[in-house]
Amino acid sequence: MTKIAVAKGDGIGPEIMDAVLNIFNAAHVPIEYQFVDMGKWVFDKGYSNGMTPEAQQAIESLGILFKGPMETPKGKGVKSVNVTARKTWNTYANKRVFQTLHGVDTVFSKAGIPIDITIVRENIEDTYGGVEHMLTHDVALSRRFITRPGSEQVIRYAFEMAKKKSTKRITCGHKANIMKITDGLFLDVFYEVAKEYPELKADDVIVDDLCMKLVTRPDLFDVVVLTNLQGDIVSDLCAGLVGGLGFAPSANIGDHICIFEAVHGTAPDIAGKNIANPTALLLSGIGMLRHLGLMQIAAIIENALLYTLEQGIHTGDFGDKAITALNTTEYAAAIIGNFGKSPEIGAKPMLPDMPTTQTHFTLEKNSMMESTEVGIEKIVGVDFFIESNEQPITIANKCMRHAGVKFKLINISNRGTQVWPTGSVFTNLVNQYNVRFESIDDFPLNQQDVLGLYVSMSGNFKICSSELLLMWGDKKAYSLAQGQ
Ligand code: NAI
């Protein structure tokens, strides 16, 4: 029998997980569960990544984790165990399916506009690397990683999934008009992969426009793939379109390990009251059953759920207020009581079971994902991020004294806006500047040249960080300042 790891989580986690496992047991789902210790309470016991070594070992050998929500303290303190799990095990694609559920009234269901949107969110990179520093007492910096191999993994997954479900349209949401290098890379990879899927209509929409279009014409979208943070926000927006977080399932897909969980969090405001809605976790569990090839039992449970919703049965967070809300346990029992029934609208077909996709494996070493390099790399300059509360002209005069024979001072910017050699006195400043030096007459530079300049500049300034300015062939691998 297939064995999976289960972590009940924090807050409402244990209540909704018990409800879902009761439904699974009543349906005789042929899965064995190994309960593992993960969550805030495990942090509190002194395990810094929020899981015991035994939990990590079990998940890595079983390959499937079914988890309840886990608490992350805001601001300072421990890192999110949810994000740690997704990143550590390279679950690069976060798939969230948002469908109209008959019985869950929304403005769109009332207007007869059907919704069936799958958001595929990149799950590892972006600002979720959490690599952040205070550069001065006023300036915080977050590094945003968008990589070619990472983008390709998630985008390829999205295209494969779209192809399997005979999707017509696949859309890339992005902000490449502003973040030309990071989101630009994601968008380039999207269209590179799209060439391999000519049967799918691939297009792109800028993320703010995407949000507007999703709330006005959600029926126009099918599969949407986005970077991590934008995907996080857009998928919560889509949860709102179909009735709220209580109906938003999610699957974190990797090549070796997959994690199934609800989109919502631990709902501390209602924890311990047995009133939470277990639907999102149940839908995530049904997705997991299909992932494991258990198509028939998944359809039986989903049809019972849809039938129950169609009957107007609900927990306190949704549904017709004229019908008494059930608590979590009663709601699960109602679904169990409806096994064998199907909804009038949107019944799921009984597809044949498929051989399990679960594989047991061991890995000897971390895999390096590297694409083939394009163009010859050359160092053409350096950006120094310096702390200073002086005026741009004063800084420029000091910097020019350090430029020597190999470098020339190109420009100075503050928060990305050029303030020297040209700029405006109306640009407000903070106590950190980006000072850009480039080589004179395309003189070839090496790292020692840059270090020499670094040492010289450090006589005058605190250098908070620095970045090499690179070119590949004739392509600049760095952005220009606003106004440059
Ligand atoms: P939340 O999703 O826990 O709650 C937001 C609102 O939705 C609350 O009013 C809550 O009562 C309600 N809600 C959520 N799930 C519900 C359900 N199943 N049934 C009925 N009502 C429900 O978001 P919040 O408050 O921002 O986060 C609380 C904690 O959860 C934080 O520590 C956060 O880091 C964590 N979290 C964990 C996630 C995970 O484990 N994947 C995802 C999101 C948040």
Side-chain angles (χ1 to χ4, degrees), residues 12 67 69-72 82 261 263-267 269-270 277:
I12 58 168
K67 70 177 273 296
M70 294 175 188
E71 182 185 329
T72 311
N82 306 303
E261 61 180 338
V263 170
H264 64 72
T266 59
D269 50 335
I270 56 166
N277 177 2

Side-chain angles (χ1 to χ4, degrees), residues 404-423:
V405 291
K406 290 187 177 171
F407 292 94
K408 58 178 182 270
L409 180 65
I410 295 297
N411 76 331
I412 299 177
S413 57
N414 194 292
R415 290 190 286 175
T417 304
Q418 179 169 293
V419 289
W420 184 94
T422 56

Side-chain angles (χ1 to χ4, degrees), residues 107-182:
V107 278
F108 297 104
S109 67
K110 285 179 186 157
I113 298 174
I115 298 177
D116 185 358
I117 302 171
T118 304
I119 301 287
V120 179
R121 161 190 171 195
E122 196 287 316
N123 216 14
I124 292 168
E125 307 189 337
D126 202 338
T127 44
Y128 284 67
V131 182
E132 301 191 325
H133 297 91
M134 288 300 297
L135 298 190
T136 75
H137 62 270
D138 277 344
V139 179
L141 177 83
S142 168
R143 290 191 168 238
R144 179 168 192 251
F145 294 94
I146 302 290
T147 72
R148 177 174 283 281
S151 301
E152 191 176 333
Q153 266 189 326
V154 65
I155 288 169
R156 194 169 290 286
Y157 169 81
F159 272 92
E160 275 301 309
M161 190 210 60
K163 187 174 149 182
K164 273 197 205 122
K165 73 180 257 235
S166 307
T167 301
K168 293 275 174 300
R169 180 181 184 193
I170 176 164
T171 305
C172 178
H174 63 88
K175 195 74 186 171
N177 52 330
I178 302 296
M179 292 174 281
K180 294 180 196 297
I181 295 207
T182 47

Side-chain angles (χ1 to χ4, degrees), residues 272-430:
K273 296 182 180 162
N274 194 30
I275 57 169
N277 177 2
T279 309
L281 188 64
L282 180 59
L283 286 169
S284 311
I286 291 167
M288 177 180 72
L289 298 182
R290 293 209 170 93
H291 178 85
L292 293 169
L294 300 167
M295 303 308 204
Q296 308 234 351
I297 212 147
I300 291 169
I301 298 173
E302 190 164 6
N303 283 333
L305 165 69
L306 297 176
Y307 178 85
T308 308
L309 292 172
E310 216 174 52
Q311 298 304 301
I313 292 168
H314 64 96
T315 47
D317 54 307
F318 75 101
D320 186 348
K321 296 287 173 236
I323 302 173
T324 312
L326 300 188
N327 69 28
T328 312
T329 321
E330 292 163 344
Y331 180 76
I335 295 169
I336 293 168
N338 287 329
F339 282 164
K341 294 181 181 152
S342 286
E344 263 178 44
I345 300 173
K348 299 294 164 186
M350 293 289 250
L351 301 173
D353 281 351
M354 313 234 283
T356 177
T357 51
Q358 192 186 18
T359 46
H360 293 271
F361 56 87
T362 48
L363 288 180
E364 301 277 305
K365 55 181 185 174
N366 298 74
S367 57
M368 167 60 69
M369 309 189 299
E370 191 180 19
S371 60
T372 32
E373 276 183 44
V374 279
I376 296 167
E377 180 180 294
K378 111 178 148 176
I379 300 174
V380 294
V382 60
D383 276 347
F384 289 127
F385 297 83
I386 60 159
E387 178 167 351
S388 174
N389 54 14
E390 295 174 300
Q391 286 295 303
I393 182 68
T394 315
I395 295 172
N397 288 335
K398 285 185 187 171
C399 287
M400 279 188 284
R401 290 206 292 272
H402 296 286
V405 291
K406 290 187 177 171
F407 292 94
K408 58 178 182 270
L409 180 65
I410 295 297
N411 76 331
I412 299 177
S413 57
N414 194 292
R415 290 190 286 175
T417 304
Q418 179 169 293
V419 289
W420 184 94
T422 56
S424 163
V425 285
F426 290 99
T427 303
N428 282 0
L429 304 171
V430 296

Side-chain angles (χ1 to χ4, degrees), residues 218-266:
D219 52 319
L220 297 181
F221 292 92
D222 225 333
V223 172
V224 184
V225 58
L226 302 112
T227 53
N228 203 341
L229 179 60
Q230 293 168 27
D232 193 10
I233 296 165
V234 169
S235 56
D236 269 26
L237 181 150
C238 289
L241 301 179
V242 296
L245 285 176
F247 303 94
S250 119
N252 301 281
I253 306 290
D255 289 337
H256 301 298
I257 296 173
C258 296
I259 305 171
F260 296 85
E261 61 180 338
V263 170
H264 64 72
T266 59

